[in-house]
Amino acid sequence: MPRGISPLWGIHTTHNELVNNTSSGSGTRRWACKYCGKQFSTTTTRLIRHVSGLGGSGISGCTEVPEDIAEIVRKEHKLSQDAAMARRREFLAASQDILEEVEEIRQSASTLKSRTSSVRDENEGSNPSEEHSSKKFKASHSSLHSTFLSTGLLKQRQRVADIEIERCILECNIPFNVVRTDAWKRMVKAIAQAGPSDDWHGVDYKRLRTSMLIEEKERIENLLEPIKLGWQTYGCSILSDGWSDIRHRHIINIMVSSCLGTYFLKAIDCSRAGTRITGEFIFEHIKAAIEEIGVQNVVQVITDNASNCKRMGELVEAEFPSIVWSPCAAHCLDLLIEDIGKLSWLSPVVSDAKKVISFIRKNHQALAIFRAYSEKELIRPAETRFGYVYHVFARLHVCMDALRMTVVDPRWRSMARGRTERANFVQRKIFDMDFWAEIECIMPILRPIHIVLRFADMEGSTLGLLYHMYTRMQEAISSVTTLSTSRLRDVTELVELRWQFLSRPIHSFAALLHPYFKGPRLWSQPHMRHMKDLYMDRIMSPDQQVTFDSEFSAYMSNVGIAYARSTSLRSDVTSRPLEWWNHYGYGHPSIAPYALRVLSQDCSSSPCERNWSAFSLVHTKLRNRLSVEQLHRVVFCKANLRLLRTLRSLTGPKQTSPIDFESAFTSAEVCIEAFILDEQDQVYRMLHAELESIDRRVTRARSRATSRPQRDPPEEGPSTSATPVYTRRRKMRPRRRGQPIVLEAQLEDIVEDAPEDHEFAEMVPTVEPEYDDEGNVIPRDDISLSSSEDSFGIDDLE
């Protein structure tokens, strides 16, 4: 039934005329507001947004409408939206019932078909007459012939379908690996089951981007209800991070992380005029997210380390005492690596490494020579990459031999830029053994930091491991023997300062409750007890704290009914803390709920960083007209469909095992041997020393040629044909190929024979002599001297 024309047009407009009619009787109308007099050309939806004073959806709110009328319009609009939402839910429920009925009919039809065929075979087998056998043979022959025809026709149709699919993929720039996904297979199967139809050509464009997208979002929300129920038991963390799209619109996304997965909640548009992303602005949206999830379900809020995020954390902790703000651990570790790279004794090494990589990557000839000797690519030093200094040094160290072979290749000198100053610098630096020795010395420092960064960047229950990983990292750095005492002190000070900023009471509380690491050594540390008490003051009443402390002493001493089982203290069991507290937490009933909530949390906001890849895939240079609301719906469906697929194969909470962390540290070569030069390294050291000596000789020769004292120019006077006039030489162009060169010795002879009352040396059009690789002047025979008019005639006119 068509909707007809809304009565709002006649109530709130002075005049309106239909511009674009639709089948439902409504459409776009050109109208003037009854209250403010402004003229618009919109549909009924934007008329409601204007008259209600709300604005949005491409139209501003009316400022002249009376408040009582605007309130009536808002209430009626809300009622209509609720009714539409109810109809949509009924439609979703009905569609689900239809799918179940179709499946039942299909199963019953297949069962009936199998029974009918079996009965027919029995009847045919019981008739012994020869005539019936002949008829049966003819029928089977006809059936076989029709089967061959239908099979051939089916293969032909499949061939045509394959061609059309390939054309669609090529024309629409769809990646080839899409056909390997389960989503593609489900789509093709559903289209094949729909059967041939001349009236149906797939999904309608408008429905696909509007109503169907909204319905899919609601369907996904219903399917992810088990994760929301899991928040009540395991708690959750709110993650937030900012991003700017290709149209430079700033967007803040908010996600909810738990041991069951990371749920994309919403995206906030911060690109409106006059919007300042302050701590108060972020707090208002985080507060709304906390209230939507439930204050009792939120354990912590994790953001990056910006000043506005820190201010937001202070407001959150003041508003919600049971919720804490934690800085992103992965971001802090990345900043630690950058701080180490900025040390005065390491910064030149980082700068030289960037110059070497930049020259080879940006010069296609040098890159082709390098690829001839190496199967690995040089990593570009991108500052947006976590731990980029470590990645650059590690790849340079792996490709050291290939780089050496590159710069000794004869094609290196024949490159267009092979004899430039930058090419010589790169060649000398690759031959420089001190450069590689510096990289060898700093790698044992950066490697344990990178291991902790990699584990902190994982998605899952990593909060209980953060303190233990950082402590293990500090021990590995302190045991390094490749650095001097002063340099090692600089690094350890940076590591300690970064931990003071990162550490929060919840980290120590989670570290004490991890069953794999518990013991008297951990419990005897005063600062750990102090941090535990600070966090307990936020989440427990005084009576609960007394009960907790009494059971906590028994937990640390392995006293209780749960420890009667021999498996309670096995390392493979205690390495999975959530399962341990689920199975053995009955021995400590006052501790188990808090342990499950804290140990289930993440320690970084890396899922937000990874989610921006979904935004970049959806919002591209060719597809950049999506509104923020439409972009939010698409990314919500994309991100949460991936979560739904993971949830179906998930057998338990996601947990990061400390055994994997310990094995990573064991396999890493933290303490390397002293830098020993083999025969090949000795050859490269000699090459570097020889090139350095050549550079010094060339520099001295050039300085002698350019350091001669200049005499004052002669006084101007009348010129005669008998006495030539010599003018002051102007700055010359660089020598071109084929031009004469005046040698240094010949120039001295010419100056001695010149008239004493004229500055002959200033007149001679000399250019800088050429030098060979050993710094000697290249002799030339084609030397000719010309007057000032000949020297500055043709060349200056070009």
Side-chain angles (χ1 to χ4, degrees):
M1 181 177 179
R3 293 177 298 176
I5 302 175
S6 174
L8 298 176
W9 293 107
I11 299 175
H12 303 290
T13 61
T14 54
H15 67 277
N16 62 83
E17 56 180 348
L18 189 62
V19 177
N20 183 17
N21 192 13
T22 61
S23 59
S24 61
S26 62
T28 303
R29 292 177 174 270
R30 187 178 293 110
W31 53 277
C33 180
K34 181 178 178 180
Y35 309 102
C36 63
K38 295 181 180 180
Q39 295 184 358
F40 302 94
S41 180
T42 63
T43 58
T44 307
T45 303
R46 295 187 179 181
L47 169 65
I48 295 173
R49 303 292 297 184
H50 177 74
V51 177
S52 63
L54 298 175
S57 299
I59 193 170
S60 60
C62 183
T63 58
E64 305 294 334
V65 60
E67 184 61 27
D68 54 345
I69 297 178
E71 185 65 25
I72 293 174
V73 174
R74 285 194 289 266
K75 289 183 179 179
E76 292 178 353
H77 182 55
K78 187 176 184 304
L79 292 175
S80 62
Q81 283 185 331
D82 294 341
M85 186 70 67
R87 289 194 299 270
R88 190 177 294 112
R89 290 175 179 173
E90 293 176 0
F91 173 77
L92 292 176
S95 62
Q96 187 67 25
D97 295 337
I98 291 174
L99 291 176
E100 294 177 357
E101 292 177 2
V102 169
E103 185 66 21
E104 292 178 358
I105 293 173
R106 185 183 295 109
Q107 293 179 357
S108 61
S110 61
T111 303
L112 181 62
K113 183 177 180 180
S114 60
R115 292 179 178 177
T116 305
S117 60
S118 61
V119 171
R120 186 185 299 113
D121 293 339
E122 293 176 359
N123 294 333
E124 290 175 354
S126 60
N127 191 354
S129 65
E130 185 176 342
E131 181 181 0
H132 181 71
S133 299
S134 177
K135 291 181 179 180
K136 180 179 178 181
F137 174 77
K138 292 180 180 179
S140 62
H141 181 73
S142 176
S143 176
L144 183 62
H145 181 68
S146 62
T147 301
F148 281 133
L149 290 178
S150 61
T151 303
L153 183 60
L154 179 61
K155 290 183 178 180
Q156 185 66 21
R157 289 178 177 178
Q158 290 176 352
R159 176 59 180 166
V160 173
D162 292 342
I163 294 173
E164 294 298 331
I165 289 174
E166 182 182 9
R167 290 178 178 176
C168 177
I169 289 176
L170 295 176
E171 293 178 5
C172 300
N173 298 323
I174 301 175
F176 292 118
N177 59 355
V178 171
V179 299
R180 302 170 61 182
T181 60
D182 294 336
W184 174 273
K185 297 175 182 178
R186 293 195 304 268
M187 180 193 69
V188 173
K189 185 177 181 180
I191 294 175
Q193 291 177 351
S197 176
D198 297 333
D199 299 332
W200 184 71
H201 299 283
V203 185
D204 180 65
Y205 166 75
K206 187 175 182 180
R207 288 184 60 243
L208 180 64
R209 68 188 303 271
T210 54
S211 59
M212 289 188 64
L213 184 59
I214 297 174
E215 292 171 3
E216 181 64 19
K217 181 175 179 292
E218 296 175 355
R219 192 180 298 112
I220 293 172
E221 288 180 346
N222 295 332
L223 293 174
L224 291 178
E225 282 296 327
I227 289 185
K228 297 180 180 180
L229 294 176
W231 295 345
Q232 300 176 7
T233 303
Y234 297 105
C236 62
S237 299
I238 294 181
L239 315 179
S240 181
D241 192 22
W243 179 72
S244 295
D245 63 5
I246 197 171
R247 296 175 61 185
H248 302 287
R249 296 181 302 185
H250 193 75
I251 302 173
I252 296 178
N253 64 352
I254 298 178
M255 306 183 72
V256 185
S257 174
S258 68
C259 59
L260 300 177
T262 304
Y263 177 84
F264 179 83
L265 188 62
K266 58 183 176 181
I268 303 168
D269 183 14
C270 305
S271 60
R272 296 180 181 178
T275 301
R276 294 184 58 197
I277 308 177
T278 60
E280 288 74 10
F281 175 82
I282 302 175
F283 168 71
E284 291 298 329
H285 294 283
I286 295 295
K287 179 181 178 181
I290 292 174
E291 294 175 348
E292 179 180 351
I293 298 170
V295 180
Q296 70 281 359
N297 297 331
V298 180
V299 177
Q300 63 176 348
V301 177
I302 305 177
T303 61
D304 58 15
N305 308 330
S307 58
N308 53 358
C309 294
K310 188 175 181 180
R311 173 59 180 165
M312 179 274 302
E314 295 174 354
L315 296 175
V316 167
E317 292 182 349
E319 182 74 18
F320 306 101
S322 62
I323 302 175
V324 298
W325 172 76
S326 300
C328 176
H331 191 220
C332 289
L333 292 168
D334 175 61
L335 294 177
L336 174 60
I337 295 179
E338 292 185 8
D339 293 340
I340 295 175
K342 294 177 183 178
L343 291 173
S344 59
W345 49 269
L346 187 60
S347 178
V349 183
V350 177
S351 178
D352 293 342
K354 289 181 179 180
K355 291 177 182 178
V356 171
I357 295 174
S358 176
F359 179 82
I360 294 179
R361 286 181 61 94
K362 291 182 179 180
N363 192 332
H364 68 280
Q365 293 177 325
L367 186 60
I369 299 173
F370 170 76
R371 287 173 175 170
Y373 295 104
S374 175
E375 297 181 355
K376 294 183 178 293
E377 294 287 341
L378 292 175
I379 295 179
R380 183 170 58 90
E383 296 185 358
T384 55
R385 185 199 304 268
F386 275 171
Y388 78 95
V389 177
Y390 169 80
H391 291 288
V392 168
F393 283 169
R395 184 54 57 87
L396 276 176
H397 186 265
V398 171
C399 300
M400 179 174 60
D401 293 335
L403 289 171
R404 289 171 172 176
M405 297 298 296
T406 300
V407 295
V408 299
D409 193 289
R411 292 171 292 179
W412 177 270
R413 299 291 292 176
S414 62
M415 294 189 309
R417 300 178 59 189
R419 295 179 180 269
T420 60
E421 183 178 355
R422 178 56 64 88
N424 292 335
F425 171 82
V426 171
Q427 185 184 50
R428 272 63 166 175
K429 188 57 62 177
I430 292 176
F431 285 152
D432 189 1
M433 301 306 299
D434 295 335
F435 172 72
W436 298 108
E438 291 287 349
I439 294 179
E440 289 277 354
C441 291
I442 197 59
M443 286 301 292
I445 296 291
L446 299 179
R447 189 178 291 113
I449 301 177
H450 177 260
I451 292 175
V452 178
L453 172 60
R454 184 161 51 87
F455 275 86
D457 194 47
M458 291 182 178
E459 183 177 352
S461 306
T462 56
L463 186 64
L465 291 175
L466 181 60
Y467 172 81
H468 305 287
M469 290 191 298
Y470 208 94
T471 303
R472 182 70 175 85
M473 181 190 74
Q474 289 177 317
E475 295 174 355
I477 292 175
S478 301
S479 62
V480 171
T481 58
T482 57
L483 291 180
S484 62
T485 306
S486 59
R487 291 186 174 185
L488 187 60
R489 188 188 308 113
D490 295 339
V491 175
T492 53
E493 289 178 357
L494 291 177
V495 172
E496 184 62 30
L497 288 175
R498 187 56 62 182
W499 174 249
Q500 292 177 4
F501 176 81
L502 171 62
S503 176
R504 291 294 183 273
I506 191 174
H507 297 149
S508 300
F509 187 79
L512 289 170
L513 293 179
H514 200 296
Y516 186 83
F517 298 98
K518 70 173 180 176
R521 178 175 173 272
L522 184 65
W523 178 236
S524 62
Q525 300 179 14
H527 70 278
M528 296 291 291
R529 296 187 179 187
H530 177 63
M531 289 293 185
K532 178 186 77 71
D533 295 340
L534 290 178
Y535 185 69
M536 289 172 59
D537 289 337
R538 300 187 63 90
I539 62 175
M540 302 179 191
S541 63
D543 296 337
Q544 292 175 336
Q545 294 182 34
V546 172
T547 307
F548 185 93
D549 288 336
S550 62
E551 292 190 5
F552 189 79
S553 300
Y555 161 74
M556 296 300 295
S557 303
N558 297 332
V559 176
I561 189 174
Y563 300 99
R565 296 179 58 183
S566 59
T567 58
S568 60
L569 297 178
R570 288 179 52 175
S571 60
D572 58 340
V573 177
T574 56
S575 62
R576 298 187 295 271
L578 299 183
E579 294 183 7
W580 191 92
W581 281 103
N582 279 324
H583 296 158
Y584 305 97
Y586 63 89
H588 310 290
S590 299
I591 304 178
Y594 298 102
L596 288 174
R597 287 174 60 86
V598 172
L599 293 174
S600 302
Q601 306 311 313
D602 208 335
C603 67
S604 68
S605 59
S606 297
C608 288
E609 299 282 350
R610 286 187 284 269
N611 190 60
W612 293 129
S613 61
F615 275 85
S616 60
L617 290 174
V618 172
H619 201 70
T620 62
K621 292 182 178 180
L622 300 177
R623 189 186 186 188
N624 57 11
R625 298 297 299 274
L626 292 174
S627 63
V628 176
E629 185 178 1
Q630 192 80 344
L631 186 63
H632 163 239
R633 294 196 188 103
V634 175
V635 175
F636 179 93
C637 296
K638 180 177 177 60
N640 291 332
L641 277 175
R642 182 173 62 249
L643 173 61
L644 184 62
R645 184 172 62 252
T646 306
L647 185 63
R648 289 172 179 170
S649 59
L650 191 65
T651 58
K654 292 183 180 180
Q655 303 175 81
T656 303
S657 174
I659 298 178
D660 299 335
F661 165 71
E662 292 290 344
S663 62
F665 260 98
T666 304
S667 60
E669 298 176 357
V670 178
C671 297
I672 64 172
E673 298 180 357
F675 189 67
I676 302 175
L677 297 177
D678 55 11
E679 184 178 356
Q680 185 179 7
D681 293 332
Q682 291 285 2
V683 172
Y684 286 115
R685 179 179 285 277
M686 294 171 58
L687 283 174
H688 178 259
E690 183 66 21
L691 291 174
E692 289 289 335
S693 64
I694 291 174
D695 292 340
R696 286 193 295 269
R697 290 199 298 270
V698 171
T699 303
R700 286 197 299 268
R702 291 179 178 176
S703 63
R704 287 197 303 268
T706 58
S707 63
R708 300 186 178 278
Q710 297 181 357
R711 286 174 282 182
D712 297 331
E715 297 179 359
E716 297 181 358
S719 60
T720 60
S721 59
T723 304
V725 177
Y726 302 99
T727 59
R728 184 176 179 84
R729 186 183 61 159
R730 293 185 291 173
K731 185 178 180 181
M732 298 189 61
R733 301 173 181 267
R735 187 184 67 84
R736 299 180 180 177
R737 182 176 298 177
Q739 288 184 346
I741 297 177
V742 179
L743 300 183
E744 188 176 355
Q746 295 170 338
L747 178 60
E748 294 176 356
D749 298 337
I750 295 172
V751 174
E752 292 177 357
D753 298 337
E756 295 180 358
D757 56 341
H758 298 289
E759 183 64 28
F760 190 84
E762 293 293 330
M763 178 274 296
V764 179
T766 60
V767 295
E768 189 172 338
E770 289 186 346
Y771 300 86
D772 57 12
D773 292 338
E774 297 183 356
N776 302 319
V777 180
I778 301 176
R780 296 289 300 270
D781 297 328
D782 51 344
I783 300 174
S784 62
L785 302 175
S786 58
S787 62
S788 60
E789 291 85 356
D790 296 334
S791 300
F792 302 110
I794 299 175
D795 291 343
D796 287 354
L797 295 176
E798 291 182 357

